[in-house]
Amino acid sequence: MFPSIRRALIGALVAALSLSLSAIETANAYPDQPIKIIVTFPPGGSADIVIRALQPALSEALRQPVVIENRAGAGGNIGIGAVAQSAPDGYTLGVAAAGVLTVNPHLNRAAMSFDPIKDLAPVTLLAEIPFVLVSSQQSAIASVADLIAKAKAQPQGLSIGHGGNGTAMHLTSALFAQKAGVGIQLIAYRGTAPATTDVLAGHIPLAVLDIPASKQLIGDGKLKALGVSAAKRVVFLPDVPTLAEQGLSEFESVGWFGVVAPAGTPPDVVNTLNAAFVKALSDPAAIEKIRGLGAEPKPTSADAFAKFIQSESVKWGKLIAEAGIKAE
């Protein structure tokens, strides 16, 4: 072989090896700068508290600062829209609730600048928050059986308050009415607090509330807990049966939120992020804070979270269509 040809081949091999090593170094370098997490709720909300509880463990696992930015509004569309439009490099993530990923597309797709399935890369589920169906002390309703019997005797004569149109509590109320086969008025409030106030005062006989808003009131005997919305009994209210236990077959409805990245984020980056979040969700201090909210840590693989989002979207889309639920 001529020396010139040999030198050219050696040069080509060295160049190829250098490129390969460079690609490996780049992949292994992630992350090499701070990571921003956009929370689609104001400071102090459940999702905000959970992600801040995870922040120290995340920073340690990723060896980079984790910066949290609250960008609320439009039912989560604003914050997650910003995530969807970010560079798919793993440095901008979002904490998304069930509504923006699985409900909003069926209520008002035109108001969304992104497609939750096509424009986002799921990373992991973070936590689930079950709900509880309660009755006021002024009401004679003391069980789900009482409720169904009374509702069948007086179609549209009962009302259930919930935390707002299109919220998980609204859909839980609608799912209850559908599975029970009864006509009940669903009364939307601007948040859980006013719904809680009205059921306490007896202005409405029933409400679907989150556990943080109701646990103490139930314990003090100020509200009657009829059933929890999760598939299994919850540790926060262990003596309260599930709605499924009381004849509503396969009833399950929980609030939840998880982490998403822009679509196109490299799989190895998603895997790195997933591992960091799963590790953070096993931190005892973080678990204590999350459970203090009435939530349960629920780390998953990225693939499992993607399948969960799709199944929830199908489930709630079907209910929204059948119940005729409209955006406000």
Side-chain angles (χ1 to χ4, degrees):
M1 183 180 293
F2 294 110
S4 58
I5 296 176
R6 185 165 55 245
R7 284 195 298 272
L9 286 173
I10 292 172
L13 287 171
V14 170
L17 181 60
S18 297
L19 285 172
S20 297
L21 290 173
S22 176
I24 292 171
E25 288 172 359
T26 300
N28 290 340
Y30 177 83
D32 62 1
Q33 63 189 56
I35 295 168
K36 178 171 70 176
I37 301 178
I38 295 175
V39 181
T40 59
F41 298 92
S46 296
D48 180 71
I49 292 172
V50 167
I51 201 65
R52 291 183 190 278
L54 299 177
Q55 190 176 17
L58 284 173
S59 294
E60 181 179 353
L62 294 167
R63 298 182 181 180
Q64 289 293 334
V66 173
V67 180
I68 296 170
E69 176 183 324
N70 297 89
R71 200 179 299 189
N77 289 349
I78 293 174
I80 298 304
V83 174
Q85 294 162 11
S86 297
D89 54 13
Y91 292 105
T92 300
L93 309 174
V95 176
V100 69
L101 296 179
T102 66
V103 177
N104 292 4
H106 302 289
L107 284 178
N108 192 359
R109 181 66 185 85
M112 302 180 71
S113 62
F114 61 96
D115 183 314
I117 302 297
K118 296 179 181 179
D119 298 333
L120 297 170
V123 175
T124 183
L125 188 63
L126 288 178
E128 290 183 348
I129 301 179
F131 304 114
V132 58
L133 175 64
V134 301
S135 62
S136 68
Q137 282 298 336
Q138 293 88 335
S139 169
I141 297 171
S143 69
V144 169
D146 288 347
L147 194 168
I148 293 174
K150 193 172 183 65
K152 287 184 175 179
Q154 302 176 3
Q156 300 300 327
L158 293 177
S159 59
I160 297 178
H162 58 78
N165 191 62
T167 63
M169 285 174 279
H170 179 194
L171 297 180
T172 300
S173 305
L175 185 63
F176 175 86
Q178 184 189 69
K179 283 192 171 286
V182 295
I184 300 179
Q185 296 183 59
L186 306 183
I187 310 298
Y189 286 82
R190 292 188 179 277
T192 303
T196 304
T197 298
D198 267 14
V199 74
L200 270 173
H203 298 318
I204 52 174
L206 303 155
V208 169
L209 303 176
D210 58 29
I211 288 176
S214 56
K215 180 182 176 182
Q216 190 63 47
L217 296 170
I218 291 167
D220 292 342
K222 295 179 180 179
L223 289 174
K224 293 179 283 188
L226 306 184
V228 293
S229 66
K232 298 178 181 179
R233 294 197 185 196
V234 300
V235 295
F236 316 105
L237 297 169
D239 297 327
V240 180
T242 67
L243 294 172
E245 283 181 69
Q246 300 178 76
L248 301 184
S249 177
E250 298 181 350
F251 193 105
E252 182 177 12
S253 177
V254 295
W256 54 265
F257 39 88
V259 180
V260 294
T265 300
D268 59 329
V269 171
V270 171
N271 290 338
T272 296
L273 289 166
N274 178 270
F277 276 99
V278 170
K279 183 178 180 181
L281 284 164
S282 69
D283 179 69
I287 291 173
E288 183 179 359
K289 285 185 180 180
I290 293 170
R291 286 182 173 160
L293 295 170
E296 188 66 26
K298 289 287 182 179
T300 63
S301 68
D303 184 58
F305 187 32
K307 290 176 180 176
F308 178 70
I309 292 170
Q310 292 175 341
S311 66
E312 286 282 284
S313 183
V314 170
K315 172 182 176 178
W316 295 124
K318 184 173 183 288
L319 178 69
I320 288 166
E322 291 175 350
I325 297 172
K326 304 293 183 184
E328 289 184 335

